[in-house]
Amino acid sequence: MLKYVAEFLVLLFSAVIPPLILLFYYRYRIFTAPPFFRLLLLFICGAISGFVALYLQIAFETIANWVVNWRRISYSLPGIALRQIVEIGPIEEGCKFLAVIIPTYYLQRRYKLRPSTIFLFTIAVALGFTAQENWIYLFYNTASILDRSIGTPVHALFSVPWGYALAMRLNHQRNSLLTGNSLLTAWLNSVVCHALVNTLSSAWRYLPPVQFLSYGFFPFLLWMFWRMEQLLRRVEGRPPIQLISAHTPQIRYWQMGLVGFAVMLSGNAIFGLFLLARKLSPLSWQHFLDPLVLWYTLSRLLINVNFAAIAWLIYRYLRRQAQRRYLS
């Protein structure tokens, strides 16, 4: 009995602790953050919305299988993309949206919520949704603790566009970063990004050249993380970090190419380290003393760290160029 209780607690903590740590980190970064207890309530709302989304997906697939062979369609990569854009993305982003907007409207009538508070509410709900999803994956042993820990911020990255648009709308500020600014446009942006990320993460199961699409997975996540940081600066009233600063089209295209190259390098450096950690995780500590294992580990670390260092140097170069242009 104690063994089962211990295993249950390990699974629970593995599912919940990483999202809570990330929530605490973002609360610490925002100077005017609400009390942590209030964020914890939003976190719980996000977990509840995760279970609602799960049951809605089961209902959707049951009804869809009456009409077409929905499960067979989702075996191919185009079928996976269709399932993501029609079912998974809208249901999950819709449930998270409701989990944010209902308590937000209630609290907005009692308090004057800052844009940063509403933005943080979105992150809290998304991380609660992640905790619920972690629990499902770990309980049914369909993913490792390493995989789920690395994927902790992903749902927050999906949801911040509509979280930002909602914060601006409720505070009567229309200068959103997203083009064609409306709450619906931002929500659709999240659905498309959600579907694209899940489709790219499935590409590695197939043979080349389809398998090569998986190399866009981590660069795209890195770009969404950059977007999240930029939106966070905006809701706090700070200017965004500028990388593309040139006025002439030729130099702007050159800087845009450098940004894309840096994102590809750094994203796939993270991908390489993730694959290395996945390969080494089943090994015992004694295996690391083996010369072949040690050489493989050090060589892969060196390659990926070099890629990340080149991307960092490109980033610093672009930042310095932007600062010089600003000061001149």
Side-chain angles (χ1 to χ4, degrees), residues 37-47 99-100 103 107 121 124-125:
F37 177 74
R38 192 174 297 169
L39 290 178
L40 190 60
L41 291 178
L42 270 294
F43 184 89
I44 294 171
C45 288
V100 172
L107 292 171
F121 282 176
V125 165

Side-chain angles (χ1 to χ4, degrees), residues 265-290:
L265 278 180
S266 52
N268 282 294
I270 298 172
F271 186 34
L273 293 174
F274 168 70
L275 292 178
L276 178 63
R278 176 181 277 185
K279 289 181 179 179
L280 296 179
S281 58
L283 301 180
S284 62
W285 288 108
Q286 291 80 4
H287 288 97
F288 286 94
L289 300 177
D290 184 277

Side-chain angles (χ1 to χ4, degrees), residues 175-225:
N175 57 334
S176 168
L177 180 63
L178 303 172
T179 57
N181 284 318
S182 70
L183 196 52
L184 178 60
T185 302
W187 184 81
L188 290 174
N189 181 294
S190 296
V191 170
V192 171
C193 289
H194 194 142
L196 183 57
V197 166
N198 287 352
T199 303
L200 290 175
S201 69
S202 303
W204 66 270
R205 306 173 191 170
Y206 299 89
L207 296 174
V210 175
Q211 192 179 66
F212 295 142
L213 291 173
S214 61
Y215 287 99
F217 176 66
F218 275 95
F220 190 62
L221 285 181
L222 190 61
W223 173 80
M224 287 199 299
F225 174 76

